[in-house]
């Protein structure tokens, strides 16, 4: 058998390195989900598009007196009053030095007639991602998925709204 | 049965940067601020940048119990039209002990319409806790 040349060895090394970043669980046949991806502090989250009513630029948020810290206040969206939450305060806070790719946004999630604004340092989408894998211990997280080398928590808007407003009972 | 009023006089003022209003009837405004009284912003848990010279004292009464608080001015009385009231979100309708009846749009600002009985209850609870 012909001994591989140094060039072949280098090519093999390059090929191995290039495939190392591939997600072994990802393939073209895996189920997909369309989401709006958002960053809150150092964490990335995604909301499936069926739960996203719209994404608006973050403007002045009017406080709700005596509300818990995560409930930042209300905003007026097309004449509707929408409560706004900070995911960092509701789920867990992580700081980041990541530069924002967009202006701060509020992602309006809706389930039936219940709406909730989620403050995002930046938001992108709609984006097609692999369906989330793994069951989370938390009701409001459907699972996790890798997107652009980031770990993204896919949110369950129904449970998130319930959680945010249940915690609103002060 | 008489028809519900379509407008009502309300008293507008501020708790820090938060614009608030209460039903004007039965609320007295005293020209001078009394430093020893609690500030509305403290009661509501609203941050402020410190209290300025524009403070006033308001006195609200519910079922014979009076509550005197410092508030931030300007304090003004105006008619609130029913069309200014923004419908409360469904998700907020069951949100606990928040002392807010709803919100109104006043010019380009959202104003929290405060619930006087709830405010009086909150103040009483705080006073009782402090005394213990």
């Amino acid at each position: 058998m012909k001994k591989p040349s140094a060039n072949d060895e280098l090519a093999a090394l390059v090929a191995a390195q290039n495939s190392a970043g591939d997600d072994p669980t990802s393939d073209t046949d895996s189920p997909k989900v369309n989401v709006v991806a958002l960053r809150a502090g150092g964490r990335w989250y995604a909301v499936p598009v069926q739960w996203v009513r719209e994404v608006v630029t973050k403007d002045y948020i009017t406080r709700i007196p005596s509300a818990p810290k995560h409930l930042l206040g209300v905003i007026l969206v097309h004449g509707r009053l929408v409560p706004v939450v900070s995911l960092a305060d509701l789920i867990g806070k992580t700081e980041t030095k990541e530069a924002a790719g967009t202006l701060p946004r509020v992602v309006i999630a809706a389930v039936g007639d219940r709406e909730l604004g989620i403050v995002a340092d930046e938001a992108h989408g709609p984006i097609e991602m692999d369906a989330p894998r793994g069951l989370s211990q938390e009701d409001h997280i459907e699972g996790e998925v890798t997107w652009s080398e980031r770990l993204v928590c896919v949110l369950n808007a129904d449970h998130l709204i319930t959680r945010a407003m249940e915690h609103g009972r002060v | 049965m008489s028809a519900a009023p379509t407008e009502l006089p309300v008293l507008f003022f501020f708790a820090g940067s938060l614009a608030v209003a209460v039903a004007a009837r039965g609320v007295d405004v005293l020209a001078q601020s009394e430093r020893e009284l609690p500030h509305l912003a403290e009661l509501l848990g609203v941050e402020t940048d410190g209290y300025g010279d524009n403070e006033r004292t308001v006195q609200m009464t519910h079922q014979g119990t009076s509550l005197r608080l410092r508030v931030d001015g300007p304090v003004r009385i105006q008619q609130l039209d029913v069309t200014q009231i923004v419908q409360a979100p469904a998700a907020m309708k069951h949100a606990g002990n928040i002392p807010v009846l709803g919100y109104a749009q006043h010019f380009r600002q959202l104003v929290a319409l405060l619930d006087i009985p709830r405010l009086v209850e909150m103040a009483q609870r705080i006073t009782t806790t402090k005394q213990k």
Side-chain angles (χ1 to χ4, degrees):
Chain A
M1 205 170 100
K2 189 185 162 192
K3 193 181 170 195
S5 67
N7 189 68
D8 291 339
E9 286 175 346
L10 180 61
L13 263 183
V14 171
Q17 186 62 20
N18 283 342
S19 63
D22 293 349
D23 183 350
T25 62
S26 169
D27 61 65
T28 51
D29 296 331
S30 62
K32 303 286 183 188
V33 59
N34 282 310
V35 299
V36 170
L38 62 105
R39 179 169 66 79
R43 285 190 188 167
W44 280 88
Y45 299 91
V47 184
V49 290
Q50 72 267 22
W51 282 322
V52 178
R53 186 155 285 166
E54 61 191 299
V55 179
V56 298
T57 305
K58 182 171 170 267
D59 202 349
Y60 185 77
I61 297 173
T62 303
R63 283 287 312 264
I64 301 172
S66 305
K69 194 179 171 198
H70 71 265
L71 208 49
L72 299 178
V74 287
I75 56 170
L76 206 53
V77 182
H78 309 306
R80 304 187 316 271
L81 210 53
V82 179
V84 176
V85 291
S86 154
L87 277 183
D89 287 323
L90 181 62
I91 295 175
K93 187 172 266 183
T94 52
E95 299 299 327
T96 183
K97 291 190 164 40
E98 196 167 346
T102 69
L103 288 171
R105 304 282 194 225
V106 178
V107 176
I108 313 289
V111 179
D113 64 349
R114 299 184 307 152
E115 287 185 298
L116 186 71
I118 304 165
V119 168
D121 297 304
E122 58 182 309
H124 301 273
I127 295 165
E128 190 182 69
M129 288 182 181
D130 291 335
R133 59 180 181 272
L135 287 172
S136 167
Q137 299 291 315
E138 308 271 8
D139 283 347
H140 56 277
I141 296 176
E142 297 241 297
E144 293 171 339
V145 66
T146 312
W147 170 67
S148 294
E149 298 179 350
R150 295 171 177 124
L151 191 63
V152 179
C153 292
V154 179
L155 297 171
N156 180 312
D158 194 6
H159 289 295
L160 187 75
I161 293 172
T162 303
R163 182 184 164 119
M165 301 321 291
E166 281 293 316
H167 279 81
R169 290 171 187 270
V170 286
Chain B
M1 203 173 85
S2 63
T6 57
E7 59 176 24
L8 207 70
V10 294
L11 210 57
F12 283 94
F13 44 88
F14 288 83
S17 59
L18 179 70
V20 298
V22 292
R25 199 181 311 136
V27 177
D28 295 318
V29 184
L30 311 174
Q32 294 300 316
S33 166
E34 297 171 39
R35 287 278 160 194
E36 70 278 9
L37 293 175
H39 196 287
L40 177 62
E42 292 164 9
L43 188 63
L44 299 180
V46 176
E47 308 86 12
T48 65
D49 298 329
Y51 303 117
D53 302 331
N54 209 9
E55 285 184 8
R56 294 286 182 272
T57 296
V58 295
Q59 179 170 303
M60 310 169 193
T61 305
H62 171 62
Q63 292 185 339
T65 306
S66 283
L67 171 64
R68 281 155 73 101
L69 289 169
R70 284 184 293 144
V71 302
D72 296 306
V75 179
R76 59 190 194 280
I77 189 164
Q78 260 174 310
Q79 288 293 112
L80 179 76
D81 192 273
V82 69
T83 57
Q84 289 176 266
I85 296 171
V86 188
Q87 197 182 0
M92 254 179 75
K93 281 177 184 160
H94 308 291
N97 293 323
I98 291 170
V100 174
L101 295 168
Y103 285 83
Q105 206 173 0
H106 188 61
F107 296 103
R108 295 192 63 190
Q109 196 168 36
L110 273 178
V111 179
L113 304 172
L114 299 180
D115 185 11
I116 292 176
R118 192 77 50 89
L119 280 179
V120 173
E121 270 173 35
M122 282 173 69
Q124 278 180 325
R125 215 166 42 224
I126 290 168
T127 309
T128 310
T129 309
K130 277 183 181 169
Q131 283 169 351
K132 284 179 184 172

